[in-house]
Amino acid sequence: MHDDVIVSYNMDFSSKTLEMYTYNEKYNKKGKFIASGVLTYFFESVLESNIILDIDEWKIESFFMENLALLEKMKNHCWPIPYQETQELKDFLVINGYKYIKIVSAYGLFGWVLAKKYEIK
C-alpha cells in the first residue's frame, strides 16, 4: 500500500470492522485494508488527500510506550476499556490476542488500530 491514496475508510461498530479503501494511480490499482475485532483506533491529521507510507504490525509494548500520555488522559473515561493499572490493560490486550497496527503516512492521515486480525488486499 506504499504511496496509495486513502479514498475512504469506514468503521462498523456493530461488526467491529474497520475498512480502508485506497488507490494507487501509478499502478492503477485499488487496495483495501481490513481490520476485524477492532477494540479502538486513533487517526490524526486527516486531510482531503492522505498518502500511506506503510501499514505494519508492531509489538503491544510499543503501543504503551508511544501512547502512555493518551492512555493516562483517557483512563478515567474507560477508554479503551475500564482498567485501574496499565498492566491490567496490557494483560487484556495480550490475553485476547489484540494486535497493534500502525498506519504511517507520507502525507496526511496517520495513526493506529487495535484489532484481533487484519489483512491487506
Side-chain angles (χ1 to χ4, degrees):
M1 297 192 110
H2 180 75
D3 287 339
D4 282 16
V5 173
I6 299 170
V7 176
S8 66
Y9 70 88
N10 178 57
M11 178 63 211
D12 183 330
F13 294 100
S14 62
S15 69
K16 298 181 181 181
T17 302
L18 186 141
E19 296 179 337
M20 182 177 287
Y21 300 89
T22 66
Y23 180 72
N24 189 305
E25 187 174 319
K26 181 177 178 180
Y27 299 107
N28 190 27
K29 145 188 103 91
K30 293 180 180 180
K32 188 175 182 181
F33 165 78
I34 305 164
S36 55
V38 174
L39 178 64
T40 192
Y41 68 98
F42 185 81
F43 295 154
E44 289 188 284
S45 299
V46 179
L47 300 172
E48 184 177 324
S49 179
N50 304 279
I51 303 170
I52 295 173
L53 184 63
D54 195 20
I55 297 178
D56 203 13
E57 183 178 338
W58 289 57
K59 295 182 184 242
I60 287 291
E61 291 79 18
S62 296
F63 170 75
F64 287 90
M65 291 188 314
E66 296 169 4
N67 295 286
L68 191 57
L70 180 62
L71 289 168
E72 286 298 318
K73 177 183 172 185
M74 299 303 292
K75 179 178 166 181
N76 292 334
H77 299 282
C78 298
W79 182 88
I81 63 166
Y83 66 96
Q84 296 299 315
E85 301 296 325
T86 306
Q87 186 62 46
E88 188 180 344
L89 174 58
K90 190 175 189 179
D91 292 343
F92 173 84
L93 296 176
V94 170
I95 289 167
N96 290 286
Y98 283 97
K99 299 174 184 334
Y100 176 41
I101 306 128
K102 286 180 67 171
I103 300 169
V104 181
S105 74
Y107 182 78
L109 184 150
F110 67 93
W112 50 261
V113 180
L114 286 176
K116 292 189 176 187
K117 294 188 320 187
Y118 73 99
E119 60 181 309
I120 298 171
K121 296 183 175 187

